[in-house]
Amino acid sequence: MTVKTWSLAGAARFAREARTGTATHMRTAEIARRWHKVKMMRAYEIHRANFGSRDAATLMLFGGLGYQPPYPAGWDEAADLVIGDEARHLTEAELYVVTPQMCDIVIAAAQSLGVEDLQLIDEEDLPSPTGLLVLPYPVLVRTVGGNLGDDRAFSWHTPANFTLPDPTNRDAMLMKPSVRVSVYHDTHGPVRPDSFLDLAAEARQAGTPLPPLILDAVRCLPFRAAEADPQAPARLARAAQAVDGAVRDAAEAMGQDESRVIGEYASGSQIEDADDTFTLRFLYAFWRLCEQRIAEVQHIETNHAARVIAERTGMSPEVRVIRLRQRAEQPHGGAKGRNWQHRWIVKMHKVRQWYPSEQRHKVIYRGPYIKGPDGKPLLDGETIRALVR
C-alpha cells in the first residue's frame, strides 16, 4: 500500500470529498443500508447476551442510539433510520482535520484517560454542535470483541438524548442529554477481511462503489454520566467477545479470512480497546486539546472548485486544521552555547482541574510542546506517546 505524503491542502480536499461521498452513498445506496443492518443486528445480539432479554436488548440498542419508543418494526426500517440520520449529520457537520503530529498527541492523550474522566464530558466541551474529525491516517484498533478495525474518522452530533427505562416507574422513560458519536472506517485502509472484500465487490457490481469512509458504529454518551454499575463494562466486554468470537469462528469454518491486514503492520502494534471507550476517549482528548493552547486552529483557504461542489451539495467547504502549537523560541540573549540538532516533543500530563464558575472538573493537559530550533528534524516515536497518567 502506497503511503502518500500528508499536506494541508490534500487533507482538506480528502475531508471534503470523504464527507460528500459518504453522505451521498448512505442516502442513495441500498448496500449501505444492508451493511449497517448487519452491524445493528450484531449490536443487538451483544446486548441480548449481556442482559439475557430481548426487550432489554431492544431498549439498550435503540435508546443508546438516541431514539424513543415506538422503535422500528424491523431491521430494514431500523437501518434506514440510522443511516438517514447519519447522512444528515454529516451534511451539517463542521469539518476538522488533524496533522499527523497532532493525531499522535491526541492518541497519547486519549490513552491517559479513564472511564472516570469520561464522566466529566459536558456539552460545553464540544467545539461545535456537530462535527466530523478526519484523521491523517487510519488508526488500528482492536475492539472489545476482538476484531481489528482501521478508524479514519469520528463524528459527533448534539442535541441528542440517551433514552432508558425509569427505574422508579416501569411505564416511563428517562432521557439524558447526550452527544451522539459515530465511528467511520477507512474504506481503503489496511484491514481487509473477506467479508469486507465481498461487500466492496458487491457494491461495485451494483454500480454504487464504496465511499472513502464506511460507517462502523454509533452510540450516545450522556453528559456528566455516572456509572451506576462498575461491573457493567466487564459484562459488556464478555458479551461482545462471545458474539464476535462466534462470528469469527463461523467465518473461519467456511474458509474466510477475517483477520487479513495489508501494508506495514506488526501484530501487537494496534491500540487495545479493552473497555469499548477508545472513540470516546479520543474525542474527549481532542475536544479538550482544542480548548487549550496546546493546539492551534488554522482555517484552510477554500478554492473555486471546493466552493462549486459546496453549492451543489449544500455542504460547507470550510475545513479547520488542528495542529500542535509551536512553542515560542527563547529571545536573543537566552541560553547560549547550545547547538541543538533536532526538535523534540516535551511530554504532557493530565490534570483534573476544578472550575468554580462552572462548579465542575475538566480535564486539562499541561504540555506537550515542541522544543528545539525550526528546520531541524523532529524526533518522534515513543516520546510522543509516553504520558504520565
Side-chain angles (χ1 to χ4, degrees):
M1 183 175 61
T2 302
V3 179
K4 296 182 179 179
T5 301
W6 190 90
S7 69
L8 290 177
R13 181 172 60 252
F14 174 80
R16 295 187 190 104
E17 293 174 354
R19 178 178 63 170
T20 300
T22 302
T24 300
H25 192 266
M26 287 195 293
R27 283 196 299 263
T28 60
E30 175 60 27
I31 198 166
R33 295 173 176 81
R34 287 197 286 115
W35 178 251
H36 199 67
K37 172 183 172 181
V38 173
K39 295 281 187 180
M40 294 188 69
M41 292 171 68
R42 166 196 166 273
Y44 169 82
E45 290 300 330
I46 291 174
H47 285 306
R48 191 171 71 144
N50 185 23
F51 293 102
S53 164
R54 292 179 179 272
D55 290 341
T58 300
L59 287 172
M60 290 304 298
L61 174 64
F62 290 104
L65 292 171
Y67 298 115
Q68 304 173 37
Y71 299 129
W75 291 117
D76 289 327
E77 182 182 344
D80 282 344
L81 174 64
V82 175
I83 288 292
D85 284 344
E86 283 300 306
R88 176 170 54 84
H89 296 163
L90 281 187
T91 301
E92 299 169 352
E94 294 191 26
L95 272 179
Y96 299 81
V97 299
V98 288
T99 64
Q101 186 184 94
M102 191 65 200
C103 189
D104 283 346
I105 294 295
V106 178
I107 291 173
Q111 292 177 313
S112 75
L113 297 174
V115 174
E116 68 281 0
D117 296 312
L118 297 179
Q119 296 170 4
L120 303 177
I121 295 178
D122 191 82
E123 186 173 4
E124 294 181 359
D125 291 316
L126 278 56
S128 60
T130 300
L132 175 66
L133 171 61
V134 181
L135 309 184
Y137 53 81
V139 175
L140 296 185
V141 179
R142 181 75 65 184
T143 70
V144 67
N147 296 323
L148 192 64
D150 41 14
D151 296 358
R152 188 63 192 274
F154 304 121
S155 70
W156 66 88
H157 174 79
T158 56
N161 286 296
F162 192 114
T163 306
L164 70 164
D166 186 342
T168 64
N169 184 349
R170 60 178 299 175
D171 297 322
M173 303 292 287
L174 293 176
M175 291 187 295
K176 297 185 177 182
S178 309
V179 56
R180 175 161 154 160
V181 171
S182 305
V183 182
Y184 288 85
H185 284 171
D186 190 336
T187 300
H188 304 291
V191 180
R192 316 295 284 178
D194 282 339
S195 57
F196 175 79
L197 296 179
D198 291 343
L199 172 74
E202 186 178 353
R204 289 193 299 270
Q205 187 174 9
T208 54
L210 298 180
L213 305 174
I214 184 167
L215 180 64
D216 176 59
V218 184
R219 67 195 296 184
C220 282
L221 175 67
F223 294 127
R224 302 202 196 187
E227 182 57 66
D229 182 359
Q231 300 303 316
R235 289 198 302 269
L236 183 62
R238 288 194 294 270
Q241 290 159 8
V243 171
D244 288 347
V247 171
R248 287 194 301 274
D249 291 344
E252 291 176 4
M254 294 187 295
Q256 290 188 315
D257 183 359
E258 291 297 285
S259 60
R260 183 187 298 108
V261 182
I262 63 174
E264 297 181 2
Y265 167 71
S267 180
S269 64
Q270 72 279 346
I271 292 169
E272 297 291 338
D273 189 10
D275 58 3
D276 196 29
T277 63
F278 174 72
T279 297
L280 305 178
R281 287 185 283 118
F282 186 98
L283 279 175
Y284 187 38
F286 171 72
W287 295 334
R288 296 303 303 137
L289 289 169
C290 282
E291 187 177 302
Q292 300 173 232
R293 290 186 58 80
I294 293 171
E296 62 180 2
V297 181
Q298 177 179 349
H299 292 266
I300 298 299
E301 183 177 352
T302 305
N303 60 28
H304 175 71
R307 290 193 295 271
V308 170
I309 294 174
E311 291 177 0
R312 186 174 68 244
T313 61
M315 301 183 193
S316 171
E318 299 298 324
V319 180
R320 299 178 187 179
V321 175
I322 312 300
R323 62 196 311 164
L324 185 65
R325 184 181 298 275
Q326 176 71 55
R327 194 186 194 202
E329 294 296 324
Q330 288 187 342
H332 295 296
K336 297 180 180 180
R338 298 187 180 188
N339 183 21
W340 300 117
Q341 298 302 310
H342 298 90
R343 293 180 298 147
W344 66 96
I345 295 176
V346 177
K347 66 183 181 182
M348 59 185 171
H349 65 279
K350 178 191 73 178
V351 176
R352 289 165 65 96
Q353 179 77 39
W354 174 251
Y355 286 76
S357 62
E358 300 181 31
Q359 290 296 294
R360 69 182 182 109
H361 285 91
K362 294 183 182 180
V363 168
I364 64 171
Y365 290 99
R366 291 182 176 150
Y369 56 85
I370 299 175
K371 192 170 183 178
D374 288 338
K376 295 295 184 180
L378 177 69
L379 295 177
D380 55 11
E382 294 183 359
T383 303
I384 294 178
R385 300 194 180 187
L387 275 84
V388 177
R389 295 190 63 172

